[in-house]
Amino acid sequence: MPGQGGKADPVAHFDGSAEAYLTTADQEAPAEEASVVDTLASFSVSAWVKPAALDRDMAVVSQDGANEAGFVLGYDAASHSWTFTTPDGDEVVTSRYAAKVPVGESAVGTWAHLTGVFDAKAAGGPQLRLYVDDGDPATATGTAETARSTSWEAKGAFQIGRAKAAGDYGSGFTGDLSHIRVYNRPVATDEIVEFQTVKPARKAYWPFESFGTGTVPNIEGTGVSLGLTGGTPYLRADVRDPAALSGNGHLELDGTDDWASTDAPVVGGDKSFTLSARVRLTSATSTASQTVLSLPGQNADRLAVRYDGKTQRWQLAITESDSATAKATEVVDHDALPSAEGSGSHLTVVYDAVAGQIFSTPTAVTP
């Protein structure tokens, strides 16, 4: 199943049943050989989680003791919180130390990143810490910590999607889990930020190396090809700069009746995306405005990246709604000058759906 980054990030799906789990246990090997971390020493665990429901306790990851899990990273229904917990012993009845972060209102069906850290040598004594980033503006990032006064060694198997309590397994996870990491040390906050980076899924790439019957194929293989319109919009040329416009082909447009377009959307406006292109103008002092990239709706462009003839600068135009009379916000880049030489300029547009921000980065390239 696709994860946070689409097909590039496959995930494991759990239905909450007793059979839905992953484990390092091997029936032919001693139980202690299946343990992943030393629960007496410092360690860290992290995971991307997308719960399908939040109506009961759920375990993301844990490690077995004889009767209790040595730790559990998961969800506590009573407090409606993400939790990182450890018991004070391996007895059937025990008390627990818990670091908790409240769950955001939009948690069901959305991705959150959890990191649990046990720092055995923290100043002031052993400590549990929990870091949560759930993308909810109200609880975008949460951190909790608590002291852990006692410790014991859980030597059993590492579990994904369930945890042991009072000698039996339970707290089955319902939803999707991805990118589970385990470290034998406390991880730093900058590392956690890196863990939260989602690998992008490239939807389309048109290198303009070859085409047939008026189309340029998408080498990602999704079938979204570019259709060419106009007299001779595609020319092959000897491009000598290996850093950009590489290969033997590029798209050349006359500015009158030439363009390239897809017959279906490649990205939408409701999820994060990145668009990029290498662009070289015929003239960097032209007074005619020229569109490089656009995402059209029924009545207006969602956005457009263009050369603005009035300012002779790169411009990003964003329309607030799909209406012919909708307000458009225009942002002009005054730092990077458009180029008609060498390998031109590299233009990139990034939309961050979580932050609700969109920006463009024209990068001038020295010929």
Side-chain angles (χ1 to χ4, degrees):
M1 298 183 66
Q4 322 88 284
K7 293 182 180 179
D9 278 321
V11 304
H13 179 73
F14 300 80
D15 62 9
S17 67
E19 293 75 28
Y21 65 92
L22 297 170
T23 180
T24 59
D26 186 342
Q27 293 182 352
E28 298 181 0
E32 58 268 19
E33 293 185 9
S35 63
V36 175
V37 297
D38 179 358
T39 58
L40 289 175
S42 298
F43 67 90
S44 304
V45 291
S46 72
W48 278 102
V49 304
K50 185 171 75 171
L54 294 172
D55 55 356
R56 56 191 175 82
D57 294 348
M58 294 190 296
V60 176
V61 292
S62 66
Q63 184 164 295
D64 292 349
N67 297 294
E68 295 287 328
F71 70 87
V72 180
L73 179 66
Y75 170 74
D76 177 59
S79 61
H80 195 52
S81 301
W82 297 116
T83 62
F84 183 48
T85 67
T86 61
D88 61 3
D90 198 11
E91 294 77 21
V92 173
V93 178
T94 186
S95 59
R96 303 179 189 280
Y97 307 100
K100 299 182 179 182
V101 173
V103 170
E105 293 300 322
S106 59
V108 174
T110 60
W111 286 102
H113 188 266
L114 315 181
T115 303
V117 176
F118 171 53
D119 189 346
K121 297 181 179 180
Q127 187 178 72
L128 298 176
R129 295 193 291 271
L130 175 64
Y131 303 85
V132 176
D133 192 328
D134 60 8
D136 189 315
T139 59
T141 302
T143 304
E145 59 184 40
T146 187
R148 177 184 175 184
S149 302
T150 64
S151 61
W152 55 277
E153 189 174 11
K155 297 182 178 181
F158 189 82
Q159 307 287 343
I160 300 175
R162 69 175 185 175
K164 182 179 283 189
D168 294 319
Y169 291 109
S171 301
F173 189 83
T174 303
D176 300 332
L177 300 177
S178 179
H179 292 285
I180 294 172
R181 297 175 170 91
V182 186
Y183 293 85
N184 62 350
R185 58 175 175 80
V187 295
T189 53
D190 57 345
E191 290 180 286
I192 296 172
V193 172
E194 181 65 24
F195 296 164
Q196 296 167 7
T197 301
V198 177
K199 295 180 181 179
R202 190 162 68 174
K203 297 294 185 181
Y205 178 44
W206 300 287
F208 301 114
E209 289 299 301
S210 63
F211 75 101
T213 63
T215 62
V216 179
N218 173 13
I219 67 171
E220 287 299 315
T222 61
V224 186
S225 299
L226 277 174
L228 304 181
T229 301
T232 56
Y234 184 92
L235 298 177
R236 300 186 71 81
D238 179 16
V239 180
R240 298 180 180 179
D241 184 357
L245 291 173
S246 59
N248 295 319
H250 68 275
L251 185 68
E252 184 170 306
L253 307 175
D254 63 11
T256 303
D257 59 355
D258 294 351
W259 72 85
S261 61
T262 64
D263 58 5
V266 180
V267 296
D270 59 337
K271 296 181 179 179
S272 300
F273 62 79
T274 300
L275 309 174
S276 68
R278 176 69 60 179
V279 182
R280 184 174 61 200
L281 297 171
T282 301
S283 170
T285 58
S286 172
T287 57
S289 295
Q290 304 167 47
T291 300
V292 178
L293 301 169
S294 66
L295 292 180
Q298 294 295 322
N299 302 292
D301 287 334
R302 172 75 169 85
L303 64 83
V305 180
R306 59 198 180 203
Y307 167 82
D308 179 45
K310 293 181 180 180
T311 61
Q312 296 182 342
R313 295 291 189 271
W314 295 118
Q315 183 185 81
L316 172 65
I318 308 163
T319 308
E320 64 181 15
S321 65
D322 192 8
S323 167
T325 59
K327 179 182 177 181
T329 300
E330 298 176 346
V331 181
V332 177
D333 186 275
H334 294 285
D335 297 324
L337 295 175
S339 174
E341 304 294 333
S343 51
S345 302
H346 187 256
L347 310 183
T348 301
V349 178
V350 177
Y351 173 55
D352 186 340
V354 175
Q357 296 179 331
I358 187 168
F359 57 93
S360 177
T361 309
T363 303
V365 178
T366 303

